[in-house]
Amino acid sequence: MLENKNTQRTTLAELGEFGLINHLTKHFTIQNSSTFKGVGDDAAVLKSTKKQTLITTDLLIEGVHFDLSYMPLKHLGYKAVMVNLSDVYAMNGKAEQITVSVAVSNRFSLEALEELYAGIQLACNTYKIDLIGGDTTSSTKGMLLSITAIGTAKKSDVVYRNTAKPTDLIVVSGDLGAAYLGLQVLEREKQVFQVNPKNQPDLDNYTYLIERQLKPEARKDVVEILAELDVKPTAMIDVSDGLSSEIMHICSQSNVGCKIYEDKIPLDPQVISTCEEFNMDSTMVALSGGEDYELLFTVAISDFDKIKANPNFTIIGHITEKNQGINLVTRADQEIELKAQGWNALKE
Ligand code: ADP
Ligand code: MG
């Protein structure tokens, strides 16, 4: 995980707004030729290309989308970038720039914002992204963080949600459910800590789950692998709200149905063992948990041979005609209809 070494505390007022922006952004370097002018003027300037431009935004609010009592600021910065890059990759695009807007109350020090920006910078360097601007302002309570990502793709490469066809295979990258369980582990430890602050949490059995919750990686590699395999998905979406709600988005927008096979859903061994310990159903966790940031896509059946042996991918089902409905085939070979349930359904 990411280290946090900052213990000093400088108030934001000491720097002033422009000093602050300069301080936070001066170590970022430009890495894409499409960035003509980054931070520093009234607006950033991008070179126009023959490609199409992809734009996506997320707004994160303290207490609603993140809890700083177990989310270190460096991780928050990193994850906030990932959430946005994931949406660009889900269009089969290449992410190139971000803007970052942040509002903070006077509870936050310069060092706190440095931590946040260290996470943002690590994400930018790892994923070759240029920070090209943003806005900085104060809030009366807590932190708000909004990131916009900009990417490009050839018109013929862009993959939408509404173009899946009956007989297409349904494929997911990586594994599902771990990030949600990581959150459960962190919430449990927070409660234990509140009762007895001397209690040191033992998180050894949950390292993968916590890493998936606190330091997710957007699947840029999947877009690259698909290009190498010469496979263009027929539809694609990223798994931010759980498999169930994402497959429903593809099916309803594409006007099709689907069959997902319970025994095919990819689960990490830590997900299985922790579900047993927490007395939760691992299929439910994969279907309704969230924040896995894997890619869920459909491919023509003629691409089966290119996909089948790839260790990054699992074929979990296939698309059907709409009138067949959206179904999960259980291990007992029963078909049950999937209901719209994002990760909020599990929270209750
Ligand atoms: P303006 O008053 O025109 O909005 P600002 O003073 O807010 O200008 O911003 C000056 C420059 O710094 C702009 O290039 C802007 O995009 C950038 N900037 C402002 N806040 C941030 C931030 N939090 N992160 C990155 N860049 C920022
Ligand atoms: Mg501004």
Side-chain angles (χ1 to χ4, degrees):
M1 268 185 271
L2 307 170
E3 298 258 332
N4 181 346
K5 298 198 194 75
N6 250 327
T7 49
Q8 243 185 307
R9 191 173 194 289
T10 312
T11 63
L12 295 177
E14 288 172 50
L15 276 109
E17 186 188 335
F18 302 117
L20 175 64
I21 294 168
N22 182 44
H23 184 85
L24 293 175
T25 60
K26 66 184 173 196
H27 296 301
F28 285 73
T29 53
I30 298 295
Q31 306 176 75
N32 291 287
S33 59
S34 55
T35 306
F36 193 72
K37 171 80 186 175
V39 172
D41 215 307
D42 297 308
V45 182
L46 303 185
K47 275 186 214 159
S48 77
T49 61
K50 290 200 199 85
K51 293 183 176 175
Q52 292 192 317
T53 305
L54 312 169
I55 302 188
T56 175
T57 295
D58 269 281
L59 174 61
L60 302 175
I61 313 241
E62 184 181 356
V64 179
H65 303 104
F66 58 91
D67 182 337
L68 291 176
S69 56
Y70 50 69
M71 178 66 130
L73 280 160
K74 189 169 179 184
H75 288 76
L76 174 65
Y78 192 88
K79 182 169 176 175
V81 178
M82 288 309 125
V83 171
N84 281 277
L85 300 188
S86 181
D87 282 320
V88 174
Y89 302 140
M91 301 301 287
N92 204 31
K94 175 170 180 272
E96 298 187 333
Q97 290 89 15
I98 55 166
T99 64
V100 174
S101 295
V102 51
V104 282
S105 66
N106 56 15
R107 185 182 114 221
F108 292 88
S109 64
L110 173 66
E111 288 74 19
L113 287 186
E114 280 174 350
E115 284 298 318
L116 179 76
Y117 270 73
I120 293 171
Q121 188 170 6
L122 180 63
C124 284
N125 289 340
T126 309
Y127 286 77
K128 301 276 176 285
I129 305 296
D130 300 332
L131 174 69
I132 58 160
D135 204 14
T136 311
T137 189
S138 55
S139 84
T140 49
K141 195 169 165 274
M143 174 183 283
L144 286 79
L145 179 63
S146 178
I147 297 191
T148 295
I150 301 167
T152 61
K154 270 179 17 201
K155 186 179 180 198
S156 58
D157 285 342
V158 180
V159 175
Y160 296 90
R161 295 178 177 182
N162 64 357
T163 37
K165 295 275 178 317
T167 78
D168 286 352
L169 301 171
I170 302 171
V171 186
V172 69
S173 65
D175 54 72
L176 300 173
Y180 173 80
L181 285 179
L183 183 64
Q184 301 314 302
V185 170
L186 290 167
E187 296 261 12
R188 184 178 71 172
E189 293 312 322
K190 181 183 172 183
Q191 275 162 19
V192 170
F193 182 80
Q194 278 167 347
V195 174
N196 181 4
K198 290 211 187 86
N199 205 317
Q200 279 300 313
D202 178 9
L203 300 174
D204 283 357
N205 293 333
Y206 315 110
T207 47
Y208 179 67
L209 311 181
I210 291 167
E211 185 98 18
R212 293 280 283 174
Q213 170 59 222
L214 293 185
K215 193 169 178 284
E217 303 290 348
R219 298 302 307 256
K220 179 187 189 182
D221 60 325
V222 167
V223 174
E224 293 165 353
I225 293 165
L226 288 170
E228 276 162 31
L229 294 172
D230 197 24
V231 171
K232 184 188 173 190
T234 54
M236 185 149 63
I237 190 168
D238 69 323
V239 184
S240 51
D241 293 336
L243 177 62
S244 179
S245 99
E246 312 304 357
I247 193 66
M248 294 196 50
H249 283 307
I250 288 186
C251 287
S252 64
Q253 292 199 27
S254 300
N255 246 313
V256 294
C258 74
K259 274 196 180 129
I260 302 269
Y261 294 85
E262 183 180 21
D263 62 349
K264 301 280 193 257
I265 297 175
L267 303 172
D268 185 87
Q270 270 188 18
V271 166
I272 295 167
S273 59
T274 308
C275 279
E276 276 169 18
E277 183 194 337
F278 283 33
N279 207 4
M280 293 173 112
D281 179 28
S282 57
T283 303
M284 258 306 272
V285 166
L287 287 172
S288 302
E291 303 192 287
D292 292 312
Y293 300 107
E294 295 296 340
L295 292 175
L296 175 70
F297 55 95
T298 55
V299 297
I301 200 151
S302 55
D303 283 328
F304 173 69
D305 284 334
K306 294 180 184 168
I307 294 286
K308 68 177 182 200
N310 195 299
N312 295 285
F313 302 142
T314 309
I315 300 171
I316 58 169
H318 58 87
I319 299 291
T320 63
E321 296 291 343
K322 187 188 175 78
N323 61 17
Q324 308 258 301
I326 298 172
N327 293 300
L328 178 76
V329 182
T330 68
R331 290 197 186 86
D333 211 22
Q334 281 186 318
E335 280 192 31
I336 54 169
E337 200 189 334
L338 286 178
K339 299 261 161 54
Q341 45 195 0
W343 70 293
N344 282 324
L346 266 181
K347 276 207 114 175
E348 272 138 35

